[in-house]
Amino acid sequence: MKLTRRQAAGALTATLGISQAKPQQTAPAKPREVHAVWANAGDAGTTVESLRAFVAQLKRAHIHKVVMGVKEGDGSVVWHSRRFPQLISARYKDFDLVENLVREAHDQGIEVHAWLIDFYESQNGVAYRMHPEWAQLNADGKATNSEKLLDADKLPNRVYPNIWMCPAQRPGYTDQWLLPLIEELVSTYSLDGIHHDYVRYGGDVAPDTYCFCDYCLKNIPRHALLHWETGLSERQQVEIVRPRLEANWEATPDMLPAGWTSMNRREKADFILNGRTIAGGPADMRYFFYEYRVDQISRFVREAHERVKRINPKVQMTAAVFKNPIQSGRYLGQKWSDWNAWIDTYMPMSYRSHFLGDFGTYCSHLTEITSRQMEWTRRERPVYAGIYTTDLFKEEAGAKTYPATKLVLAVEAARAAKPDGIVIFSAGSLKNQGLWPHLEDIFQNA
Ligand SMILES: [Zn+2]
């Protein structure tokens, strides 16, 4: 079923039970809604012909920006890297996807943003095999591939096959691997943007368990100056001069316990998560754990921005982020509401699977969250609402055809918050679900 925009708006109104506002004759012209799509290398294929067909489809659907996966989840890349030739995907050995895509997309007036999976690698990837010491560690000194998958109840022997790299270590994955990859992309190709993804700590595997590598065990307390490195070698106790216990914090007592240096990894991790800054006070030490993680991710976002803009100030920095920056700060170290100085456009992943409830609830929450995202960024940077098409069809799982109405309704729900753009995940799912022709209608004249 193909719906016109007018029909779609009517359907949305009926679904959400709201009255349709009359258009205002005197309203100022609204800036153009930007349309973007996330795509994987496989969607573009490995020949100029397949790539041209892909770009032609983007053009037909009024896509202004394609966000192309160039560093994939297994750590492989689809450009002909000179610095890391061992990372070049076997499928793209004879076809530099980035070079060809930039030429073909620019011919059609479409921007190309290079999408990188930042801190997530495969346990079989080159980075982890060469540098296992760069992986995040838990309190038992184990990497994330020691964790169980979400569906471990059904599949008790399945482990999580992926490695989250420590964002903090210097030298480490961030400055020896990720930043050089980004610099090479920007200095080699006429890209319009660099797109961060997985720019965070893991949230699906034990969010409060990483990272307790040797570097982080030393630097979490140091970051917050929980222990004086100068002056007395004896531990300074808090002096109680004010009646409210926690009001005595500001003279900055030594907040590490006696015997800290002889504690093992597990004991230190337990203290960082459950300790008290002031004996007898609340168990507040984990505040510094969360702050440390937030600051490590923000530092990387800042450094990536600085290095890219130094090479080419016109290259835009963009990011796929979780829907709520305050909560993702706590769970993922991803407090993206702090990144306006270093991110040009936010693309929050407001996917249905990131919400509870039925489809109607999702639509109303999508309007609300998009509106809040624009508040969190103080409207200083564009926000594109990110919609995952596959997620819309929870009720039709396994079906051969998919009701395009749901895509229409989701886009209209996001539009109700007046975001700067809409970004669809993904080109491949649009194709598999037969939704490209519908997207052509939805984005027409928007
Ligand atoms: Zn670490």
Side-chain angles (χ1 to χ4, degrees), residues 131-146:
H131 293 284
E133 75 279 11
W134 288 349
Q136 294 182 21
L137 298 182
N138 62 25
D140 297 321
K142 292 190 170 152
T144 49
N145 61 343
S146 67

Side-chain angles (χ1 to χ4, degrees), residues 34-311:
V34 179
H35 304 141
V37 66
W38 281 290
N40 293 114
D43 302 327
T46 57
T47 64
V48 172
E49 292 69 35
S50 65
L51 179 58
R52 284 187 180 152
F54 168 73
V55 171
Q57 175 60 80
L58 301 179
K59 187 75 179 169
R60 280 200 301 281
H62 317 280
I63 300 290
H64 307 112
K65 304 184 178 190
V66 57
V67 185
M68 174 57 75
V70 302
K71 174 182 178 282
E72 303 186 314
D74 62 358
S76 66
V77 305
V78 297
W79 75 92
H80 286 178
S81 176
R82 290 184 304 279
R83 182 148 180 189
F84 298 94
Q86 70 274 40
L87 294 184
I88 300 170
S89 163
R91 291 191 69 209
Y92 290 93
K93 279 263 189 286
D94 300 319
F95 187 72
D96 184 325
L97 181 61
V98 176
E99 182 189 347
N100 284 280
L101 177 62
V102 165
R103 185 191 63 247
E104 295 298 326
H106 284 180
D107 274 356
Q108 298 300 319
I110 296 170
E111 291 184 8
V112 178
H113 295 252
W115 161 22
L116 291 98
I117 305 288
D118 285 341
F119 289 110
Y120 172 99
E121 286 273 344
S122 162
Q123 61 185 358
N124 303 315
V126 178
Y128 182 58
R129 279 192 278 119
M130 284 179 68
H131 293 284
E133 75 279 11
W134 288 349
Q136 294 182 21
L137 298 182
N138 62 25
D140 297 321
K142 292 190 170 152
T144 49
N145 61 343
S146 67
E147 301 283 349
K148 298 286 185 208
L149 276 175
L150 294 173
D151 54 1
D153 289 347
K154 291 176 211 146
L155 301 158
N157 296 320
R158 261 181 92 185
V159 296
Y160 186 84
N162 306 304
I163 300 290
W164 282 86
M165 292 296 198
C166 177
Q169 284 184 35
R170 307 296 161 101
Y173 182 76
T174 307
D175 63 342
Q176 303 297 307
W177 203 267
L178 197 47
L179 288 168
L181 281 168
I182 291 171
E183 285 182 311
E184 182 181 68
L185 274 169
V186 176
S187 54
T188 310
Y189 304 101
S190 299
L191 286 162
D192 301 284
I194 291 292
H195 183 75
H196 293 297
D197 194 8
Y198 290 75
V199 53
R200 57 182 176 90
Y201 286 78
D204 46 358
V205 283
D208 288 349
T209 317
Y210 298 89
C211 175
F212 297 117
C213 73
D214 291 349
Y215 182 96
C216 289
L217 280 182
K218 181 163 181 270
N219 282 282
I220 293 170
R222 189 172 190 280
H223 187 63
L225 214 165
L226 300 179
H227 168 75
W228 289 99
E229 292 170 355
T230 54
L232 297 171
S233 57
E234 272 174 44
R235 185 167 184 251
Q236 290 176 290
Q237 298 293 334
V238 63
E239 268 181 53
I240 307 297
V241 295
R242 292 170 178 163
R244 295 212 184 265
L245 187 61
E246 59 274 26
N248 298 288
W249 69 275
E250 72 179 33
T252 322
D254 204 321
M255 289 173 174
L256 291 184
W260 171 259
T261 48
S262 57
M263 284 182 170
N264 65 29
R265 191 185 309 274
R266 162 65 68 186
E267 289 165 336
K268 285 182 176 174
D270 281 346
F271 178 77
I272 288 167
L273 289 174
N274 303 309
R276 298 162 203 278
T277 57
I278 297 173
D284 55 355
M285 192 56 76
R286 67 172 57 207
Y287 171 83
F288 297 109
F289 172 72
Y290 298 135
E291 279 287 295
Y292 174 81
R293 296 183 0 140
V294 161
D295 288 348
Q296 300 315 313
I297 301 299
S298 294
R299 177 185 176 188
F300 162 70
V301 173
R302 172 175 58 78
E303 288 176 346
H305 171 271
E306 286 170 356
R307 293 199 190 197
V308 166
K309 301 282 179 174
R310 206 175 292 146
I311 296 166

Side-chain angles (χ1 to χ4, degrees), residues 6 9-10 12-14 17-25 27 412 416 418:
R6 185 180 296 273
L12 173 73
T13 305
I18 50 174
S19 63
Q20 201 167 357
K22 287 200 173 72
Q24 287 185 0
Q25 301 295 328
E412 291 295 336
K418 300 186 172 60

